[in-house]
């Protein structure tokens, strides 16, 4: 990957509060929802926190195929990452991501059985910047 | 559907330039891309214009399962519509949607064989507003 494209992609992710995260439901339909990005390592690995009981968590447990999209509507630049989503429920991971204030969503704290971490691992990407660019991770 | 929720949903669509439009690719992964909304009739039917040669157009030709997401990042309200996407290539439809300036994308004009209209028909919806609301269309 060219250095400039890598820089642009990492800047787009770094400036994004929201990501549009996709699953495939039990009837084979694509589903999508905006989620706050909790953490990222480059564009290869992304983390989100959510409820174990959420519809989308069940979908990824059944079918780990996923995509994550970042969008800069001002410049109409977009990045789609396609890969696998894992649902992590171990206490070590949950404690590592826990932040003050998360109690409003998970009343039992970091080890709340309804609190989990999603880890997305990208395999391929499409970047629509100055021009279109497809890549493997 | 309650009147207030219907009003909120139609306002969200009406104020959105961009929609996040999802398909399922040939390997079964969900794909997503921002597209400009060309027209809508309520929340039941949405139209987009695109290239016949675009990757996502081929995906919907092979598998018409789709979803469309609208997002108000300020209030963190979102609407996911799930349904079917049709690829319309007849000249009558294309002429009806053609706008001055579209020549920059489709050099041969309204009947350019690479220009097509996508028509999305919603079957179910999820609205995340003041509270979560699931509905059938």
């Amino acid at each position: 990957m060219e250095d400039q494209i890598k820089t642009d992609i990492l800047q787009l992710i770094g400036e994004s509060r929201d990501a549009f995260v996709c699953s495939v439901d039990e009837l084979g339909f694509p589903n999508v929802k905006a989620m706050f990005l909790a953490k990222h390592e480059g564009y290869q690995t992304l983390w989100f926190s959510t409820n174990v009981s959420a519809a989308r968590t069940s979908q990824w447990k059944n079918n780990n195929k996923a995509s994550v999209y970042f969008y800069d509507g001002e410049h109409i630049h977009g990045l789609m990452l396609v890969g696998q989503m894992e649902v992590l429920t171990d206490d070590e991971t949950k404690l590592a991501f826990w932040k003050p204030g998360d109690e409003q969503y998970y009343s039992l704290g970091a080890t709340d059985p309804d609190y989990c971490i999603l880890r997305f691992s990208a395999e391929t990407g499409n970047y629509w910047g100055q021009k279109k660019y497809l890549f493997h991770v």
Side-chain angles (χ1 to χ4, degrees), chain A:
Chain A
M1 184 183 292
E2 294 168 33
D3 284 351
Q4 186 58 53
I5 289 177
K6 189 172 180 181
T7 300
D8 291 349
I9 285 175
L10 292 176
Q11 186 177 337
L12 176 57
I13 296 175
E15 292 176 352
S16 296
R17 179 194 66 177
D18 305 317
F20 300 90
V21 188
C22 303
S23 55
V24 177
D25 72 16
E26 55 285 354
L27 297 173
F29 286 88
N31 278 207
V32 53
K33 190 182 179 186
M35 299 184 77
F36 294 152
L37 181 64
K39 181 185 168 185
H40 67 103
E41 281 179 2
Y43 52 82
Q44 292 86 351
T45 312
L46 313 171
W47 286 266
F48 305 88
S49 69
T50 193
N51 298 83
V52 172
S53 59
R56 244 149 297 287
T57 305
S58 304
Q59 291 172 6
W60 285 307
K61 278 184 181 172
N62 290 330
N63 178 353
N64 66 4
K65 292 185 168 73
S67 57
V68 179
Y69 188 74
F70 295 94
Y71 184 58
D72 169 358
E74 185 184 346
H75 301 97
I76 313 183
H77 290 179
L79 170 70
M80 176 178 69
L81 298 166
V82 175
Q84 316 268 347
M85 188 73 86
E86 293 166 272
V87 178
L88 307 177
T89 56
D90 64 285
D91 285 348
E92 187 180 342
T93 302
K94 289 162 64 166
L95 283 161
F97 278 88
W98 186 261
K99 297 185 310 299
D102 284 348
E103 299 86 6
Q104 64 181 306
Y105 306 111
Y106 312 101
S107 58
L108 300 179
T111 58
D112 190 321
D114 195 36
Y115 169 58
C116 68
I117 301 297
L118 303 172
R119 180 170 60 199
F120 174 79
S121 302
E123 295 173 3
T124 61
N126 286 34
Y127 178 62
W128 295 269
Q130 298 299 331
K131 56 184 181 176
K132 190 171 163 180
Y133 184 79
L134 309 181
F135 57 96
H136 283 269
V137 175

